[in-house]
Amino acid sequence: MKICICTYAAIAAIMVSAVVSAQGIADLDVNPDDIMLRKPNPAEQKAAAEKRAREEAAAKAAAEKAAAEKKAREDEMAKMAADRAAAEQMAREAAAAKTAAEQMAREAAAAKTAAEQKAREDAAALKQLREQLAAEQKAREQAQAEKADVEAKAAAAQKAADAALKKAADEKAALAAQAAAERKAADAAIEKANAAKDEAEKRAQRIASADPDERPRPTKKLEAPDEPAVASAQTDKQKKTAKKVLTGRPAVITAERTDYDRKEGIILFDRNVYVDDEQYQMHADRLWVFLNGTNDLKRLVALGNVAITNDLKTANCSRAVYNRAEQRIVMFGDGDDKPARLRDAGGKKGDASEVMGGRITYWLESGVATVEDVRVTLPAMKGGAAPKELFNIGGGKTKDKKKDE
Amino acid sequence: MEAELKKDECQLKSLISILLLLAALGASAFSSEKWLAERGDDSDVMRLRTAYAECTKKIAEKLEAPAENVSIPIETFPNGTVKSRVTAARAHIFADTGFVWGEKVRVEQYREDGTVHASLDAESCVVDRGSQSGWVAGDAKMTYGEASVKGRGVYFSLARQFIKIFSQSEIRVGHAKFDAGSLFK
């Protein structure tokens, strides 16, 4: 075992020394064969030198060529790089130009959009202005039309007022003429009665003074005078009653607007309603008239500032409902500030009475008035005596519902 | 006892039902708001007013020749007799629109026996034969039985039996039919 190890160590030492020797020879740039095996030959040395020179020249040339080629390649590479750089620069410039162009296009588009928007806004503003002008024009026209309408209505109202005044004057003149005629007839009747009385007295004296046997037999039955006493004894009240002789003239209703629905049997009078009946006059803002199938009056409803008058009686309320079948009028007030009011001026001074309430029901047949939320103003007391017609409104009785309750 | 209570309860329920029914009937009897809403629509009036103005304009431009002493039936009874008729001293008949424009116009409604039921006189008006309605721009006078109606600016609809007077309306009614004389006597 030890022998083997020694052998191997010896072989290894030999090999190491051989390698070291070979390395030393190689460092001397000498062919080991020449050193170890052959002797130097001048021709060969020359040839070798020439060869070496050729080889060196070739190597030099090759090196130069390689250098030239390398330089050429480097030049070419540099040129290519320069070209590439130039191309890249151009591409960058083109891209920049494109970007700039796109930016410009975007700006142009934005400007166009803004211009369009502005144009739209201008158009809208113009349209609005035109509409405003048209509306103003329309308003002016409407105002003018309304003004003309109001003027026409005012003229119509004036005309109606003139007509009413003329009518009132005519009626007054007619009543005066009638009163004069009645007075004349009464005077004539009194005169005739006095004459008849004188004649009768004379006849009685003749009869009394004459012989009873020679008394003339009446050839004609003595006639009673034509009731002069009645005419002469006419009181103011009777005269007033005489004036109220109904002629049966139709009632006239005027209003600014009227709707007549024949199918439903409804007439609506609107604005400044005035009813001129032979027995009463009525003002109201609005009047509903309900008719039945045969066109007979069924119900009346007056609304707003209702005022009803006839001779000495006056009623004011905010709403009045007349029911023909029940023969009653119900008048409503408008809160505590505006109660329904029924006033009787009375025949003589100081006989006036007034009743106010939230609701006044007036029964036409009996003349009884039922008042709710009542307030009554009584006529002045004379010598402590109770007024003759206390609560006698419209010839009937007034009943305080609250008192009854 | 219990049976009597049940009986009373049933009677009370019946009474409440009747009251509710009466209240419902009363509520549905007449509603001024509903009536005004239905009759307050002036669209047909505006249509006829516009038609009147257009017809007047066309006539002024002499696009249509007038006809004289015109008598046109508007509506007939099922038996064929005339129910309503419009007569005019001068008239323009617009075949394309169906409007009849007339001067010195008289619209008459007849009963089935041929007697005049109601009439309307107007200086000039336009009548739409289609809708059987018309518009009087100026003064108009209507007579219906003992009642007479005057006004300025009048719309009438024969089909709906409806008249609307827009200004200066005046109605005269006899006591026989419109017995307001008993009011507040």
Side-chain angles (χ1 to χ4, degrees), chain A residues 312-372:
Chain A
L312 301 173
K313 296 181 189 69
T314 308
N316 294 87
C317 58
S318 65
R319 184 159 58 100
V321 180
Y322 165 64
N323 192 310
R324 192 186 177 199
E326 296 174 359
Q327 281 293 295
R328 68 170 186 178
I329 305 170
V330 184
M331 289 169 278
F332 297 88
D334 187 11
D336 291 338
D337 297 337
K338 281 188 174 179
R341 184 190 299 257
L342 188 59
R343 182 180 171 80
D344 189 349
K348 295 174 186 174
K349 192 177 178 183
D351 280 356
S353 62
E354 186 177 64
V355 60
M356 290 185 286
R359 175 180 165 142
I360 301 173
T361 306
Y362 187 79
W363 303 87
L364 295 167
E365 290 291 331
S366 60
V368 172
T370 307
V371 186
E372 294 173 38

Side-chain angles (χ1 to χ4, degrees), chain A residues 382-403:
Chain A
K382 292 172 186 174
K388 191 179 177 184
E389 290 191 345
L390 182 67
F391 295 121
N392 189 2
I393 299 165
K397 292 174 184 175
T398 301
K399 192 167 65 177
D400 186 354
K401 194 176 178 182
K402 276 199 168 177
K403 283 178 184 173

Side-chain angles (χ1 to χ4, degrees), chain A residues 213-247:
Chain A
D213 296 333
E214 293 177 359
R215 283 178 195 170
R217 297 285 180 267
T219 53
K220 185 183 168 186
K221 189 181 176 183
L222 288 175
E223 291 178 354
D226 296 339
E227 299 180 359
V230 175
S232 61
Q234 264 190 332
T235 61
D236 289 343
K237 193 173 179 181
Q238 283 168 325
K239 279 182 183 175
K240 199 173 84 180
T241 311
K243 281 180 192 174
K244 278 189 172 179
V245 173
L246 302 179
T247 60

Side-chain angles (χ1 to χ4, degrees), chain B residues 33-144:
Chain B
E33 284 182 8
K34 189 182 170 191
W35 191 89
L36 285 170
E38 285 173 359
R39 272 80 179 172
D41 180 18
D42 288 342
S43 56
D44 199 36
V45 180
M46 293 309 295
R47 182 181 69 86
L48 286 166
R49 286 181 76 165
T50 309
Y52 179 86
E54 284 174 358
C55 290
T56 310
K57 190 180 170 188
K58 278 184 184 176
I59 291 157
E61 291 168 353
K62 296 181 180 175
L63 295 175
E64 300 284 342
E68 293 187 351
N69 297 323
V70 177
S71 176
I72 304 164
I74 296 175
E75 196 182 2
T76 55
F77 286 108
N79 62 8
T81 57
V82 177
K83 190 176 181 184
S84 57
R85 180 195 299 277
V86 56
T87 55
R90 290 174 71 236
H92 296 262
I93 301 163
F94 296 88
D96 55 339
T97 55
F99 289 119
V100 180
W101 189 96
E103 277 182 338
K104 293 188 176 164
V105 181
R106 185 175 177 83
V107 181
E108 287 181 325
Q109 271 198 316
Y110 304 95
R111 298 185 187 89
E112 275 190 286
D113 60 1
T115 56
V116 176
H117 183 51
S119 65
L120 180 147
D121 291 282
E123 270 302 302
S124 66
C125 79
V126 66
V127 178
D128 181 10
R129 296 177 71 185
S131 64
Q132 297 172 13
S133 55
W135 167 255
V136 180
D139 291 327
K141 183 178 180 182
M142 285 150 279
T143 308
Y144 173 68

